[in-house]
Amino acid sequence: MTARDAHRGESGGLPQDRKVTTHFLQRMKDRGEKICALTAYDHLMGKLLDEAGIDLILVGDSAAMTIQGRHTTVSVTMDQMIYHASVVSSAVERALVVGDMPFMSYHVNPDEALRNAGRMIQEALVEAVKLEGGEKVCPTIRRIVDAGIPVMGHLGLTPQSILKFGTYQVRAREEAEAEALRRDALALQDAGVFGLVIEKVPAALASEVSKLVKVPVIGIGAGAGCDGQILVSHDMLGLYTKFHPRFVRRYAELAETMRAAFGRYAEDVRSGDFPSQEESY
Ligand code: KIV
């Protein structure tokens, strides 16, 4: 029995074998069913997440850190994101696949943003795009949505602005910033987003915003009151270990497991134990 079958049996909720669309996610929110989302950057990871019944797979620009080993997300390019998104989307049957629009792919003007969002859809075969920002990006979101491309917003800690903010600290603790976030969420909804990611803000605020807007709100480091949760897969698997934010629950310690396996292999090769006769022709 797969995790997906088990979940279907327990929840009595929406059918778990149905293709996830943006409308499906809206129905999940309306029925109070939690949405589970994770990131993927390669075909195998996309397939495993889909088989486990994950509802939304984000091909995140966190690829800059998890795959490329950079310190921030800003260096990953449009062409690189198209590559990651295309190998993930070709593995996924059920989940909604969302492609992250990288830094500078939607900042110059709405026409260029639409062209890049169109590349995500046509070349990478994702079903939606995500971009960061509030009221300021609304004209861009309208342009993309008007062309028929579903857009997801991203508020709170927006990692593409890290060079400006200079820190990954919790956002919107002060009332002025919290009020701006409420306004941004409503503005994004008005501009036509089908959902929002809210990152690293106080749980009470994220919960309030989840009730304020009609569209699903997916939290990361934003408490349990959101309509769903997302984590970076490499974080929750214990593969990316440079830092361990408090909001990441580790479901495995794969870095340790892999290091040990590589070490055992090296020992076996050096001692002549590998390959054995059974492993030879
Ligand atoms: O790029 C990413 O992985 C993200 C998640 C943190 C939501 O945007």
Side-chain angles (χ1 to χ4, degrees):
M1 184 163 72
T2 64
R4 196 191 304 175
D5 292 335
H7 175 57
R8 183 197 302 150
E10 278 164 26
S11 72
L14 286 168
Q16 288 296 302
D17 50 0
R18 193 71 61 74
K19 173 77 188 108
V20 179
T21 61
T22 57
H23 298 276
F24 189 96
L25 296 179
Q26 184 64 56
R27 283 174 64 206
M28 288 181 78
K29 167 160 182 154
D30 296 343
R31 295 167 60 124
E33 289 182 33
K34 294 281 187 187
I35 297 164
C36 42
L38 284 169
T39 63
Y41 319 98
D42 64 66
H43 190 87
L44 182 59
M45 188 74 90
K47 186 167 166 14
L48 293 173
L49 294 179
D50 199 37
E51 285 170 357
I54 298 303
D55 302 306
L56 184 155
I57 298 176
L58 173 69
V59 185
D61 62 356
S62 46
M65 300 167 83
T66 55
I67 304 296
Q68 300 180 341
R70 310 284 189 221
H71 293 300
T72 75
T73 61
V74 298
S75 56
V76 70
T77 65
M78 191 65 209
D79 284 345
Q80 290 165 347
M81 287 304 297
I82 294 273
Y83 166 75
H84 288 295
S86 68
V87 295
V88 171
S89 71
S90 64
V92 175
E93 290 176 12
R94 174 182 175 268
L96 184 82
V97 182
V98 179
D100 225 355
M101 299 285 286
F103 181 58
M104 289 312 291
S105 68
Y106 58 94
H107 299 77
V108 177
N109 61 56
D111 283 344
E112 194 172 305
L114 174 58
R115 206 158 287 122
N116 282 325
R119 286 191 66 197
M120 273 286 187
I121 300 291
Q122 286 193 303
E123 295 175 39
L125 303 180
V126 301
E127 297 154 310
V129 297
K130 174 169 86 57
L131 51 85
E132 297 181 5
E135 281 176 332
K136 280 193 200 138
V137 292
C138 283
T140 298
I141 291 176
R142 282 206 176 83
R143 185 95 173 90
I144 299 173
V145 173
D146 281 352
I149 300 173
V151 176
M152 188 167 210
H154 185 152
L155 294 173
L157 175 67
T158 47
Q160 290 176 8
S161 306
I162 189 61
L163 299 176
K164 184 168 93 181
F165 291 120
T167 147
Y168 286 106
Q169 272 168 7
V170 177
R171 292 289 142 78
R173 278 200 198 274
E174 304 299 326
E175 181 48 32
E177 202 184 336
E179 187 49 32
L181 192 138
R182 291 183 197 99
R183 263 200 321 273
D184 282 340
L186 287 170
L188 290 179
Q189 172 168 267
D190 236 40
V193 297
F194 72 87
L196 285 177
V197 167
I198 294 194
E199 180 164 355
K200 217 169 176 187
V201 303
L205 176 64
S207 175
E208 185 195 330
V209 172
S210 303
K211 293 185 184 87
L212 182 68
V213 296
K214 294 194 174 68
V215 297
V217 173
I218 313 292
I220 172 164
C226 300
D227 304 305
Q229 298 293 326
I230 185 163
L231 285 175
V232 169
S233 293
H234 286 53
D235 289 343
M236 59 86 81
L237 291 173
L239 256 181
Y240 185 86
T241 54
K242 262 191 207 157
F243 40 85
H244 185 173
R246 150 173 163 190
F247 65 79
V248 173
R249 184 180 296 180
R250 286 224 186 127
Y251 288 84
E253 294 295 343
L254 290 195
E256 272 175 28
T257 306
M258 288 169 76
R259 221 177 279 120
F262 299 146
R264 283 206 323 274
Y265 165 76
E267 262 173 40
D268 290 351
V269 170
R270 286 178 191 132
S271 70
D273 185 65
F274 176 82
S276 65
Q277 266 194 345
E278 294 77 52
E279 289 155 335
S280 305
Y281 299 97

